[in-house]
Amino acid sequence: MPENKATPETQAKQQSRVASDTSSHTDVTAFVRQARTLATVAPASGPAQGRLIFAMDATASRQPSWDSAAVLQAEMFDAVAGIGSTLDIQLVFFRGISECKASAWYRDAARLRDSMTKVTCRAGHTQLARVLGHVEGQARDKKINALIYVGDCLEEDIDNLAGLAGQLALKGIKAFMFQEGYDPTAERAFREIARITGGAFARFDASAADRLRDLLGAVASYAVGGINALEEYGNKTSSQDVKLLGSQLRKSR
């Protein structure tokens, strides 16, 4: 029986089909690679897995720490991205005589940093009560997973703050109170607010920036993934501060 030989026209079609299949495979591979790249650099759309309010004392004594925190805040976004989650963060600050402001909600470290770098600290009294009241108000619309507060001193009535903290506790908002320095009045109030809300207290030194970075990342992880995510972050960083934070949370259960 004579052997079937491909005509030049058939060979051309086969070569064209192979080239087309190879091209399609290459295009798909390139698309998948590009999609993965975009997923790591662009904020995810849709609802976030966690919402966190980042509040800071912006009175005059806080300027050096404010500048440092503007850089360190990226760790909050990096930490949650590492576990495949998204986080919305709102910046709240007070300064001067009666100024207390809240930013938009951010899902991008650069935008939050830009917002922080536009703020300069001004002399004035603490307004922690207004911060707690704002957080409670925000929680009426959408769930707030956690509050981070960074401050060094306090000039407000602790009993009043305790009552406001109770309102946060009723909404399931844990307050993570981070103190710079050793002011005893502030420490007593911060510990009480953390206790009432089931959150945690930690002290940091402005000269040890890594400690604050680890604490911010720990709370961000907790906000999107609970105690397990916080412990995973602690194992990754090998931070003793994060481990102590986790211990406080487990005790408050």
Side-chain angles (χ1 to χ4, degrees), residues 53-98:
I53 291 182
F54 181 35
M56 292 188 68
D57 177 344
T59 53
S61 63
R62 305 275 308 132
Q63 189 66 58
S65 295
W66 182 279
D67 295 338
S68 176
V71 176
L72 302 179
Q73 54 79 23
E75 181 63 23
M76 292 187 284
F77 295 97
D78 293 342
V80 298
I83 56 178
S85 300
T86 53
L87 178 70
D88 284 346
I89 299 179
Q90 183 185 65
L91 172 68
V92 177
F93 67 91
F94 57 80
R95 62 183 182 177
I97 303 302
S98 60

Side-chain angles (χ1 to χ4, degrees), residues 72-130:
L72 302 179
Q73 54 79 23
E75 181 63 23
M76 292 187 284
F77 295 97
D78 293 342
V80 298
I83 56 178
S85 300
T86 53
L87 178 70
D88 284 346
I89 299 179
Q90 183 185 65
L91 172 68
V92 177
F93 67 91
F94 57 80
R95 62 183 182 177
I97 303 302
S98 60
E99 183 180 3
C100 184
K101 292 185 176 180
S103 73
W105 286 92
Y106 297 120
R107 199 176 295 185
D108 176 84
R111 291 184 63 200
L112 178 56
R113 183 186 63 246
D114 290 345
S115 179
M116 292 185 70
T117 54
K118 293 176 182 177
V119 177
T120 55
C121 296
R122 297 176 185 168
H125 295 293
T126 61
Q127 300 177 57
L128 181 51
R130 291 184 67 180

Side-chain angles (χ1 to χ4, degrees), residues 8-242:
E9 182 179 6
T10 303
Q11 290 178 336
K13 289 182 178 179
Q14 291 174 339
Q15 292 173 353
S16 176
R17 187 180 300 112
V18 171
S20 177
D21 291 343
T22 302
S23 176
S24 297
H25 177 72
T26 302
D27 290 343
V28 170
T29 302
F31 174 79
V32 172
R33 186 183 300 115
Q34 182 183 28
R36 286 175 176 169
T37 301
L38 289 173
T40 61
V41 299
S45 59
Q49 280 74 46
R51 284 162 56 87
L52 184 157
I53 291 182
F54 181 35
M56 292 188 68
D57 177 344
T59 53
S61 63
R62 305 275 308 132
Q63 189 66 58
S65 295
W66 182 279
D67 295 338
S68 176
V71 176
L72 302 179
Q73 54 79 23
E75 181 63 23
M76 292 187 284
F77 295 97
D78 293 342
V80 298
I83 56 178
S85 300
T86 53
L87 178 70
D88 284 346
I89 299 179
Q90 183 185 65
L91 172 68
V92 177
F93 67 91
F94 57 80
R95 62 183 182 177
I97 303 302
S98 60
E99 183 180 3
C100 184
K101 292 185 176 180
S103 73
W105 286 92
Y106 297 120
R107 199 176 295 185
D108 176 84
R111 291 184 63 200
L112 178 56
R113 183 186 63 246
D114 290 345
S115 179
M116 292 185 70
T117 54
K118 293 176 182 177
V119 177
T120 55
C121 296
R122 297 176 185 168
H125 295 293
T126 61
Q127 300 177 57
L128 181 51
R130 291 184 67 180
V131 170
L132 299 180
H134 170 79
V135 175
E136 193 273 335
Q138 288 288 292
R140 295 174 192 170
D141 297 325
K142 289 184 179 180
K143 179 177 176 59
I144 304 296
N145 299 89
L147 161 68
I148 292 176
Y149 178 78
V150 181
D152 60 350
C153 62
L154 187 75
E155 296 112 0
E156 300 170 71
D157 181 68
I158 295 179
D159 289 335
N160 180 50
L161 295 175
L164 293 169
Q167 294 299 311
L168 299 190
L170 291 174
K171 288 184 166 57
I173 305 169
K174 295 185 183 299
F176 293 83
M177 310 296 291
F178 298 151
Q179 181 185 11
E180 178 188 357
Y182 297 90
D183 182 87
T185 301
E187 179 177 351
R188 186 164 63 254
F190 292 0
R191 285 187 181 276
E192 184 65 4
I193 292 169
R195 184 194 65 79
I196 291 171
T197 62
F201 168 86
R203 182 183 289 108
F204 72 96
D205 187 333
S207 64
D210 287 346
R211 296 190 66 186
L212 181 58
R213 177 187 290 111
D214 289 343
L215 291 169
L216 295 179
V219 179
S221 298
Y222 177 82
V224 299
I227 190 68
N228 291 335
L230 184 150
E231 290 178 344
E232 182 180 340
Y233 175 83
N235 293 333
K236 187 183 303 181
T237 60
S238 300
S239 169
Q240 190 63 31
D241 292 308
V242 175

